[in-house]
Amino acid sequence: DQAQAAFERARDAAPQQAFAYNNLGELYALRAHLLRRVDINPALSTQRALAAYAQAIALMPRQAQFHANVAKVHHTQALWLLVHGHDPEPQLQQASQALDQALALSPGLAYALRYQGEVLAAHARWLARHGAARAEDFQRAATAFQAALDADPEWPEYRLAAALLRAEWGEWLARSGTDAAPVLQEGLALLEPPLATRPRWADGLTAQARLLLALSETHAPQAQRAEWLRASRLRRYEALRLNPHLDDQRDVWRPPL
């Protein structure tokens, strides 16, 4: 509330400053993200964020970041709908439209490319839920994430997003009767660089735990599967020790398709 009040004062002091509205939108976007993580419908915060971003775009229409922020918020709402069994496609389509605008203005914007991957990944999950997914749907998301990494290889959240896609892709492959190990191993490899420099990164450890758990359910030799399961449990224990709130968050350890 104090942060919101501060951003509102900044907006009121400079009502023609686009970034004042964008900053207020970012506050609502963060609130929406946190609400979704604890399984609360973020719709109200999503609407407020979109309203603030719209004002920022009206003042500075060629700022690519503002359009990417719009996509981010639509993606947040789409994920909540997806997890609860509601159609996320209208939100994903609006996110895609905003990303098209962002990338038209700044084709190499890594932030927009990351959310292009996120939108495509959510679309693949929705198709998988209805038995309509293909490997190509997951591959398109992987390609977008790789483009984001090529544009900004040092940003750990892009690697995390790409690794979580591999977890979802691998779990879908396993249900389809296809060997998921290569895709899951790709996910682990993506996490190695950021965890080497940030070994106490709870989100990264959580993703590792999920990938290792999925590997433990493949058709690998029993001894290897047991080792992966043990490692998964250790990563989960460490992640929860670092951030106990993760245990309360739906859609973290293994979200339903």
Side-chain angles (χ1 to χ4, degrees), residues 6-252:
F7 283 131
E8 288 173 344
R9 286 196 297 272
R11 176 202 59 195
D12 293 343
Q16 296 306 309
Q17 172 54 259
F19 283 95
Y21 294 100
N22 180 71
N23 292 342
L24 191 57
E26 288 290 83
L27 175 69
Y28 288 127
L30 176 60
R31 186 174 295 167
H33 170 73
L34 295 174
L35 288 171
R36 185 195 69 79
R37 292 273 305 246
V38 295
D39 201 28
I40 297 173
N41 189 345
L44 181 58
S45 292
T46 294
Q47 292 165 9
R48 289 174 173 171
L50 291 172
Y53 290 143
Q55 291 176 294
I57 290 169
L59 291 168
M60 195 179 289
R62 297 190 60 78
Q63 173 53 253
Q65 183 78 32
F66 295 171
H67 294 282
N69 286 340
V70 170
K72 172 181 64 179
V73 174
H74 281 300
H75 172 257
T76 295
Q77 188 64 38
L79 285 185
W80 190 88
L81 293 167
L82 174 61
V83 168
H84 287 268
H86 305 301
D87 184 3
E89 287 298 320
Q91 291 288 337
L92 294 175
Q93 289 168 9
Q94 290 180 77
S96 293
Q97 291 168 6
L99 289 169
D100 287 345
Q101 293 175 291
L103 291 169
L105 292 165
S106 181
L109 183 62
Y111 182 78
L113 292 167
R114 178 262 176 99
Y115 276 100
Q116 189 173 63
E118 296 279 18
V119 167
L120 290 167
H123 176 66
R125 282 177 63 185
W126 180 245
L127 291 175
R129 169 170 286 198
H130 294 279
R134 301 169 300 168
E136 291 83 354
D137 298 310
F138 291 95
Q139 184 59 60
R140 277 195 289 271
T143 299
F145 283 131
Q146 187 58 53
L149 286 168
D150 291 343
D152 190 351
E154 302 303 320
W155 200 252
E157 279 72 16
Y158 299 170
R159 287 185 169 272
L160 175 64
L164 287 172
L165 169 70
R166 267 55 175 205
E168 293 161 358
W169 189 355
E171 290 157 8
W172 172 77
L173 286 170
R175 282 190 298 275
S176 305
T178 304
D179 181 18
V183 165
L184 297 169
Q185 293 281 15
E186 285 178 13
L188 289 175
L190 283 162
L191 291 170
E192 286 178 5
L195 281 170
T197 58
R198 297 172 62 188
R200 293 170 58 84
W201 185 27
D203 285 343
L205 291 169
T206 300
Q208 262 195 339
R210 181 175 167 191
L211 288 158
L212 287 163
L213 178 61
L215 277 167
S216 76
E217 297 170 350
T218 63
H219 297 293
Q222 179 60 36
Q224 179 63 78
R225 291 166 57 197
E227 175 58 26
W228 281 329
L229 181 59
R230 184 188 69 83
S232 174
R233 289 170 175 168
L234 287 173
R235 300 302 192 283
R236 176 168 180 152
Y237 173 82
E238 180 65 8
L240 288 172
R241 188 183 68 81
L242 293 166
N243 183 0
H245 297 293
L246 287 171
D247 204 32
D248 300 328
Q249 294 177 10
R250 183 172 177 169
D251 201 33
V252 168

